Amino acid sequence: MKSGQRCSGSIPYGYKRVEGDKQTLYIDEEAANVVRRIFQMAASGMTMTGIASTLSEEKVLIPSAYMKLNRPQDVHCKTYHDPYVWSNTTVGYILDRQEYLGHTVLGKTVRENFKLKKRRAATPDELMIFPDTHEPIIDQDTWDMAQRLRKRNPKKIANGTYSHRLSGLLFCADCGTRMSYSSSKISGQKKEYDSSDYFQCRNYRNVYAECFSHYIKSSAVEAAILRAVQSVTKYALENQSEFIEQLKMQWESRETSIADESKKEIELAQKRIEELDILIKGLYESSMLGKIPDRQFQRLVSQYDEEQVQLEQRIREIAGEHEEEAVPKSDPKKFMALVNKYKDITELTDQMLYEFIEKVDIHAAEGGRGAYRKQCIDIYFNFIGNYLPPMEEISEEERIQQIEQEQKKKQYRKSERAKEKQKEKMAQLKEDAKTDPEAAAQYEQYLESRREAGRKYRAKLKEIKEASPEYIKAMEEKERLKAEKMIEKDRKRMERMTKKKKETRIELVARAKTDPEAAEQLAELRKAEAEARKRKKAAEDKRMEEDPKYSAKVLEKRKEYSRRHTAQRKAFKEELIARADAGDEEAIEQLNEMRAYAVKATRKTYNKMYEGAMNGDPEAIVKYEAFLKQRREDYHKKKELEAM
């Protein structure tokens, strides 16, 4: 074991052993993908319960079932309830194993007495770790993130429904305990307010501990963290060399401060030990000379000796604490890699929050509960600790101005909410007034009060305006413009009365036969009417596509129009033919014109259909083929009749 040789047959899930090689672990890709996914889910903030539920829902085989299926000779646990049900213990066991980093870990259990068979789990200091002995499945950053988020220990809610992503990251700056999360959803409040969603020190209501409330809204903490991340990342990107130098100086300053405090306390303890030695020596001399009784001598020596033992123990504790509390050195390279990964941050996602933030210390607030409330928040970033970039200091006057502006904005939002609420209330009262006489009376009373308020306002406004010379001048100018407008209106009215009567359509058509100007005017009129009909038809077709009922109504209307006008044209033509047969010259001429127009229109339709078919228009091609088919059928029918 001291040389790193494996002496156990245990193989971590995700690895396999090649026959003949007991020492080297080889990656089993199928199982390794599951391990990578477990660590990624843990690094994204998912709890072990959530990871186990996800794997169970997706029907992923548990390690024992997977090993039994693929390598039965390596299985230790051969019985299980369900091969697809993962437990928190299994997930936690995988997240604890450092073998996935490529290390060999030996000596996991220790037997304290060779006479007993009982063994205990080894402490982290007792483990024997040999790095880089085989190929890793996960990287160090993913491991660190997963372990850090496992220590969050978020608040456990009874029904498991409500929690907050900051739970486990916020600590009380005075007593060091984690802040507890409260919400209106958890407490069962009917109305939800921003102030109901907050964090508070756990020891505030603990009868066995004394601490302040340290109350802070969760929205305020999230806003502060977002601003801190934005300011630090922006400064780090724009001033990278200065940023790294400041981190170095900050680490050296903290290290020196801790060392100085420890050194000062040790010096005081050693000085007190020397004083106690002098006191004990004096007591011994007094006892030998018989100046004090033996009983008092024994009691005082026992007290001094006990105090010396405590001081020596304290000196050893301070030395150990100094080693444990040594400020971890900053790692600007990892933080800059994180900054380059997330640029131009506008909102803080869960993944970004857990990658940037290590913890947040909340101090007690000052200044009461109003706009002058101040509260200090220490935000510790991963890899660099508690860092604040250089910023311009704000004077007290500027801070008061900012507070006043915030108060005005808050008052404006409050008044807007009140107006909206009153508007909704009156709308509901108006609706109730339609059926409820009492509500109708209340609504009428409200309207009368508004009318009275309007009359008073207008009277007061009129009184103020009438006392102003500028208002009088403006009113005179308004009256003058009004008079000029009336005069212009009367003039236009007289022009319309004296204007020539508008020409009818029939008169325009008759005049267009001989007058070129009238013919041009008629052509423009017909063109404008055609465009108008086209727009109307397009709008009607669009509405028909959207509304089936309207479409059915229009189609029925069109059929009725076609039927009625077809009947009228047929009756008119029959009457015209009867008059022509009787020898009416005007009817004969009109019938010939109708037939010539029909021949011309038919020829025009055929030519248009033929040109469209030749140009590849699908609709025209179908019509043209149907026309040719009908002509062939008519031709064959004619031939059959002639043959008969």
Side-chain angles (χ1 to χ4, degrees):
M1 289 175 61
K2 289 184 178 180
S3 61
Q5 296 294 311
R6 294 178 57 83
C7 57
S8 171
S10 175
I11 302 174
Y13 173 68
Y15 285 103
K16 62 183 178 180
R17 187 188 299 144
V18 177
E19 186 177 355
D21 187 358
K22 182 180 179 181
Q23 301 300 323
T24 309
L25 296 178
Y26 297 90
I27 293 179
D28 183 354
E29 284 300 332
E30 185 177 354
N33 290 332
V34 179
V35 174
R36 293 188 189 100
R37 190 169 176 212
I38 290 173
F39 274 92
Q40 288 170 359
M41 288 190 286
S44 64
M46 188 178 293
T47 61
M48 288 192 293
T49 303
I51 296 172
S53 300
T54 302
L55 296 175
S56 299
E57 291 173 0
E58 295 180 1
K59 298 295 182 181
V60 178
L61 286 172
I62 61 175
S64 297
Y66 177 80
M67 296 288 287
K68 185 176 181 180
L69 180 65
N70 293 277
R71 295 191 299 277
Q73 68 277 9
D74 296 332
V75 177
H76 293 280
C77 178
K78 299 182 180 180
T79 59
Y80 38 80
H81 178 68
D82 191 321
Y84 299 107
V85 176
W86 287 71
S87 65
N88 293 1
T89 304
T90 305
V91 176
Y93 180 71
I94 291 174
L95 292 174
D96 284 335
R97 301 208 68 163
Q98 299 186 48
E99 285 87 346
Y100 297 122
L101 291 170
H103 309 332
T104 295
V105 182
L106 303 177
K108 294 182 181 180
T109 59
V110 177
R111 180 184 294 177
E112 293 181 341
N113 191 335
F114 72 94
K115 296 182 180 180
L116 302 176
K117 294 183 179 181
K118 187 175 181 181
R119 304 181 70 89
R120 63 168 177 85
T123 63
D125 296 335
E126 295 172 336
L127 291 174
M128 301 174 64
I129 301 176
F130 301 89
D132 303 328
T133 57
H134 53 270
E135 186 179 355
I137 292 179
I138 60 168
D139 57 89
Q140 187 68 45
D141 292 340
T142 306
W143 167 274
D144 294 339
M145 177 64 70
Q147 303 307 319
R148 183 165 59 250
L149 293 182
R150 286 182 67 194
K151 295 178 182 178
R152 278 180 59 215
N153 188 24
K155 181 178 179 181
K156 308 297 188 299
I157 308 302
N159 56 9
T161 305
Y162 305 108
S163 61
H164 199 278
R165 62 178 184 170
L166 291 176
S167 297
L169 294 180
L170 271 59
F171 294 83
C172 175
D174 292 328
C175 66
T177 187
R178 282 189 172 92
M179 305 281 282
S180 64
Y181 171 63
S182 297
S183 172
S184 58
K185 295 179 180 178
I186 298 173
S187 59
Q189 296 179 11
K190 293 182 179 179
K191 292 186 178 180
E192 296 182 14
Y193 301 97
D194 186 35
S195 58
S196 300
D197 196 25
Y198 65 92
F199 285 88
Q200 196 173 41
C201 179
R202 289 182 178 179
N203 288 332
Y204 174 56
R205 292 186 175 88
N206 191 341
V207 295
Y208 302 105
E210 294 182 1
C211 193
F212 300 105
S213 169
H214 295 78
Y215 166 91
I216 188 168
K217 295 190 295 185
S218 58
S219 59
V221 180
E222 290 203 349
I225 293 174
L226 176 60
R227 288 196 298 269
V229 171
Q230 288 174 337
S231 60
V232 171
T233 53
K234 182 180 179 182
Y235 182 78
L237 287 171
E238 295 177 355
N239 310 277
Q240 185 170 348
S241 58
E242 292 87 346
F243 173 70
I244 296 173
E245 186 65 27
Q246 288 174 8
L247 289 178
K248 183 179 179 182
M249 294 174 61
Q250 179 176 289
W251 177 80
E252 292 175 353
S253 175
R254 291 179 183 173
E255 185 73 16
T256 304
S257 176
I258 292 176
D260 291 344
E261 291 177 1
S262 302
K263 185 178 179 182
K264 186 176 180 180
E265 191 173 353
I266 290 174
E267 288 177 354
L268 291 174
Q270 290 176 345
K271 185 178 179 181
R272 178 60 180 166
I273 290 174
E274 293 174 359
E275 291 176 354
L276 291 173
D277 286 338
I278 295 172
L279 290 173
I280 292 171
K281 183 178 180 181
L283 282 173
Y284 179 77
E285 292 177 353
S286 298
S287 174
M288 294 298 295
L289 295 173
K291 293 182 179 180
I292 59 173
D294 291 341
R295 183 176 58 83
Q296 292 183 354
F297 171 74
Q298 294 294 339
R299 182 170 57 83
L300 291 173
V301 169
S302 177
Q303 290 178 356
Y304 291 156
D305 184 64
E306 185 179 354
E307 187 177 354
Q308 278 187 332
V309 171
Q310 291 177 354
L311 290 171
E312 291 172 354
Q313 179 66 22
R314 180 58 185 161
I315 290 173
R316 289 192 294 270
E317 289 177 358
I318 292 171
E321 289 175 358
H322 177 66
E323 294 179 359
E324 293 178 359
E325 294 180 1
V327 179
K329 196 166 185 179
S330 302
D331 194 346
K333 291 184 178 179
K334 288 187 177 181
F335 188 78
M336 289 305 302
L338 193 60
V339 170
N340 291 321
K341 180 180 177 182
Y342 300 107
K343 293 182 179 179
D344 301 327
I345 299 172
T346 56
E347 63 176 350
L348 208 60
T349 62
D350 292 355
Q351 184 71 20
M352 294 163 62
L353 175 68
Y354 302 142
E355 290 191 25
F356 273 106
I357 305 303
E358 179 184 355
K359 68 172 184 175
V360 180
D361 286 345
I362 308 297
H363 293 262
E366 300 176 356
R369 299 180 63 182
Y372 295 92
R373 172 187 173 94
K374 293 189 295 183
Q375 192 167 12
C376 180
I377 300 175
D378 295 334
I379 300 175
Y380 290 82
F381 293 87
N382 291 322
F383 312 120
I384 63 173
N386 184 15
Y387 174 78
L388 189 65
M391 294 183 294
E392 297 181 1
E393 294 186 1
I394 301 175
S395 63
E396 188 64 22
E397 294 181 358
E398 292 177 343
R399 195 177 77 83
I400 292 174
Q401 289 179 358
Q402 290 180 357
I403 291 173
E404 290 176 350
Q405 291 178 358
E406 289 294 329
Q407 286 179 332
K408 289 180 180 178
K409 291 180 181 179
K410 186 176 180 180
Q411 190 65 28
Y412 173 75
R413 291 193 295 268
K414 185 177 179 181
S415 62
E416 288 295 317
R417 288 195 299 269
K419 289 179 182 177
E420 190 66 26
K421 190 174 180 180
Q422 181 68 12
K423 186 177 179 181
E424 293 176 359
K425 183 178 178 181
M426 288 301 108
Q428 184 63 36
L429 185 62
K430 182 179 179 181
E431 188 67 25
D432 295 342
K434 296 178 180 179
T435 56
D436 188 359
E438 186 177 351
Q442 291 180 3
Y443 186 65
E444 184 60 33
Q445 185 179 359
Y446 165 74
L447 293 178
E448 185 59 32
S449 65
R450 298 305 302 162
R451 295 189 197 102
E452 184 63 25
R455 284 193 291 268
K456 289 181 180 180
Y457 174 76
R458 288 190 295 272
K460 185 178 180 180
L461 188 64
K462 184 178 180 182
E463 183 179 352
I464 295 172
K465 287 182 176 180
E466 287 179 349
S468 174
E470 295 179 356
Y471 175 74
I472 296 172
K473 186 178 180 181
M475 291 300 295
E476 291 176 352
E477 180 67 19
K478 185 177 179 181
E479 290 294 333
R480 186 182 64 79
L481 293 174
K482 186 177 179 180
E484 290 180 355
K485 189 175 181 180
M486 290 298 295
I487 293 171
E488 181 67 18
K489 188 176 180 180
D490 291 340
R491 185 183 64 78
K492 289 181 178 179
R493 182 171 58 82
M494 294 301 295
E495 286 182 357
R496 286 196 301 271
M497 290 176 63
T498 57
K499 192 176 180 181
K500 183 180 178 182
K501 185 180 178 182
K502 184 177 180 180
E503 188 176 28
T504 62
R505 179 66 173 267
I506 297 174
E507 293 174 348
L508 181 61
V509 172
R511 193 160 59 87
K513 294 180 180 179
T514 57
D515 188 355
E517 185 177 352
E520 185 177 353
Q521 186 179 355
L522 181 62
E524 291 178 358
L525 180 62
R526 287 175 174 170
K527 183 178 179 182
E529 289 175 347
E531 290 292 332
R533 286 194 300 271
K534 187 176 180 181
R535 289 194 299 271
K536 181 180 179 182
K537 188 175 184 306
E540 192 177 59
D541 293 342
K542 184 178 180 181
R543 185 178 174 186
M544 288 172 66
E545 293 177 0
E546 297 174 353
D547 189 353
K549 292 183 179 179
Y550 178 76
S551 176
K553 184 178 178 181
V554 170
L555 293 174
E556 184 64 28
K557 186 177 178 181
R558 288 178 181 176
K559 289 180 181 179
E560 178 62 23
Y561 177 83
S562 300
R563 185 189 61 76
R564 188 173 63 253
H565 284 266
T566 301
Q568 290 178 357
R569 289 194 298 271
K570 187 175 180 181
F572 176 73
K573 189 174 181 181
E574 290 176 353
E575 182 185 355
L576 196 62
I577 293 172
R579 287 170 52 197
D581 292 341
D584 188 347
E585 295 293 335
E586 185 178 355
I588 294 171
E589 183 179 357
Q590 193 173 357
L591 185 61
N592 291 333
E593 289 178 0
M594 286 179 63
R595 288 172 176 168
Y597 176 78
V599 171
K600 184 178 179 181
T602 303
R603 187 179 295 111
K604 183 178 179 182
T605 302
Y606 288 159
N607 290 337
K608 183 179 179 181
M609 180 177 60
Y610 179 76
E611 290 175 1
M614 293 299 103
N615 293 331
D617 185 3
E619 187 176 353
I621 291 172
V622 172
K623 290 182 179 180
Y624 186 63
E625 290 177 353
F627 167 71
L628 294 177
K629 182 179 179 181
Q630 187 64 38
R631 285 190 62 182
R632 286 193 294 270
E633 291 177 355
D634 293 343
Y635 173 76
H636 291 303
K637 287 180 180 179
K638 184 178 179 182
K639 286 294 185 181
E640 290 175 359
L641 291 173
E642 290 177 354
M644 291 174 64

